[in-house]
């Protein structure tokens, strides 16, 4: 099994991604670390604990991390509602530990060369870990990142995707870091939408009932806020890349992060000119087949 840490800001799609990672049975999840992004650190940590309880996997440790970006004020998402998981609105205690960065470093040190860091939110915790112990972070196997927009518009400003937009300084540190990185951007995610009828196919009613409760407001909020029909599956697609990498179309790019632009802050700026000498720093997943993802996602979540 792949040894992973999931850094996340639940968030409806984060919650579905955690469900997929657990139910796939393909991962040794060493920890879930939380970050502020879709909602406050209290909410994202509360929601992560709630999802693990739903999955009967409270054995997976949850360590809370950054409550705001490195240098900026936190700008939260809208589509996840006030609780960050509208429709379920968990009321359990967040039990903030505040030690996500230290725990990420500790787990890497105990599993040299074996840990894949899966990031589903702003990259604040990851950047802090690099700043705190750069040499140890080089012992990571890979960082797999949900975020960015390469050849499509942004979803938080004209050009920037939310996770990069919230903390561009953190993203800049991570993208410059010389470790194997794979990016699952909006380019791969925009074309994959699930609808209530898809989620109703989940045969495991312990999951189907809460998933339907949370997916209805998520779909409604996306339609109102973004004019898009259906549930966008950014984070589950990122986990799915690790489940089925061979079905994904990929290409290496030289990408830098815009941290200054009045209209472009958070943009993942790819070198697209027909230049000879580029220094590719990241593999980008350009396409994930919607049908295969849907089939496998429902199949895994249906497992008892
Ligand atoms: O832009 C989509 C990303 O931002 C997803 O990870 C979503 O959960 C939010 O964190
Ligand atoms: Ca997320």
């Amino acid at each position: 099994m792949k040894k992973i840490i999931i850094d996340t800001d639940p968030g409806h799609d984060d919650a579905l991604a955690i469900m997929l990672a657990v139910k796939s049975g393909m991962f040794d999840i060493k920890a879930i670390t939380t970050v502020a992004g879709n909602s406050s650190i209290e909410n994202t940590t509360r929601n992560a604990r709630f999802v693990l309880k739903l999955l009967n996997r409270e054995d997976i440790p949850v360590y809370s991390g950054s409550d705001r970006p490195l240098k900026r004020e936190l700008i939260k998402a809208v589509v996840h509602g006030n609780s960050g998981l509208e429709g379920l609105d968990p009321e359990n205690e967040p039990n903030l530990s505040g030690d996500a960065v230290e725990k990420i470093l500790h787990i890497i040190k105990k599993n040299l060369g074996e840990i894949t860091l899966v990031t589903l939110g702003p990259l604040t915790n990851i950047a802090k870990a690099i700043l705190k112990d750069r040499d140890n972070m080089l012992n990571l196997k890979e960082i797999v990142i949900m975020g960015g927009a390469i050849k499509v518009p942004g979803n938080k400003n004209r050009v920037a995707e939310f996770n990069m937009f919230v903390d561009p300084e953190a993203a800049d540190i991570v993208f410059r870091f010389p470790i194997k990185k794979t990016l699952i951007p909006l380019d791969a995610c925009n074309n994959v939408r699930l609808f209530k009828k898809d989620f109703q196919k989940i045969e495991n009613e312990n999951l189907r009932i809460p998933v339907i409760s949370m997916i209805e407001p998520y779909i409604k909020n996306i339609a109102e806020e973004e004019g898009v029909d259906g549930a966008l599956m950014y984070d589950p697609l990122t986990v799915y890349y690790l489940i089925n990498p061979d079905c994904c179309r990929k290409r290496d790019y030289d990408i830098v992060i815009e941290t200054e632009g009045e209209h472009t802050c958070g943009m993942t700026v790819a070198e697209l000119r027909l230049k000879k000498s580029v220094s590719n720093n990241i593999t980008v997943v350009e396409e994930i087949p919607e049908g295969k993802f849907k089939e496998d996602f429902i199949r895994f979540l249906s497992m008892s």
Side-chain angles (χ1 to χ4, degrees), residues 77-137:
V78 175
V79 297
H80 302 283
N82 293 332
S83 68
L85 207 57
E86 185 179 345
L88 290 176
D89 306 301
E91 294 182 350
N92 52 289
E93 285 306 311
N95 295 332
L96 300 183
S97 61
D99 56 356
V101 172
E102 292 76 10
K103 292 296 187 183
I104 288 170
L105 291 168
H106 176 74
I107 293 166
I108 293 169
K109 197 168 283 187
K110 304 285 281 185
N111 301 271
L112 296 178
E114 297 182 271
I115 298 293
T116 296
L117 197 44
V118 183
T119 72
L120 307 179
L123 292 167
T124 316
N125 289 340
I126 316 314
K128 284 183 177 177
I130 292 169
L131 293 170
K132 187 179 178 74
D133 191 345
R134 180 184 180 81
D135 290 344
N136 186 28
M137 286 294 279

Side-chain angles (χ1 to χ4, degrees), residues 7 24 38 78 83 160 164 172 190 207 213 238 244 250 303:
D7 189 78
S24 74
N38 281 325
V78 175
S83 68
M164 303 297 117
D172 186 36
N190 284 347
L207 278 190
S213 297
T238 302
N244 193 358
K250 294 170 278 198
M303 291 182 176

Side-chain angles (χ1 to χ4, degrees), residues 211-224:
V211 166
I212 295 296
S213 297
M214 72 184 216
I215 212 68
E216 287 179 323
Y218 182 48
I219 289 173
K220 175 175 171 293
N221 293 340
I222 288 173
E224 287 174 2

Side-chain angles (χ1 to χ4, degrees), residues 9 11 13-14 38 80 120-122 146 155 161-163 186 234-235:
D9 62 336
D13 60 323
D14 303 71
N38 281 325
H80 302 283
L120 307 179
M146 191 283 133
N155 63 0
E161 175 278 328
F162 179 80
N163 288 337
L186 299 185
Y234 305 111
D235 296 336

Side-chain angles (χ1 to χ4, degrees), residues 264-281:
T264 59
C265 198
M267 181 176 181
T268 43
V269 186
E271 176 57 87
L272 300 176
R273 293 170 296 181
L274 296 176
K275 289 178 64 171
K276 301 269 184 302
S277 61
V278 292
S279 51
N280 292 337
N281 58 339

Side-chain angles (χ1 to χ4, degrees), residues 16-24 236 239-240 243 293 297 300-301:
L16 294 171
I18 294 167
M19 292 175 189
L20 178 60
V22 168
K23 300 300 278 184
S24 74
V239 169
Y240 188 68
I243 290 171
F293 167 75
F297 178 77
F300 282 128
L301 264 63

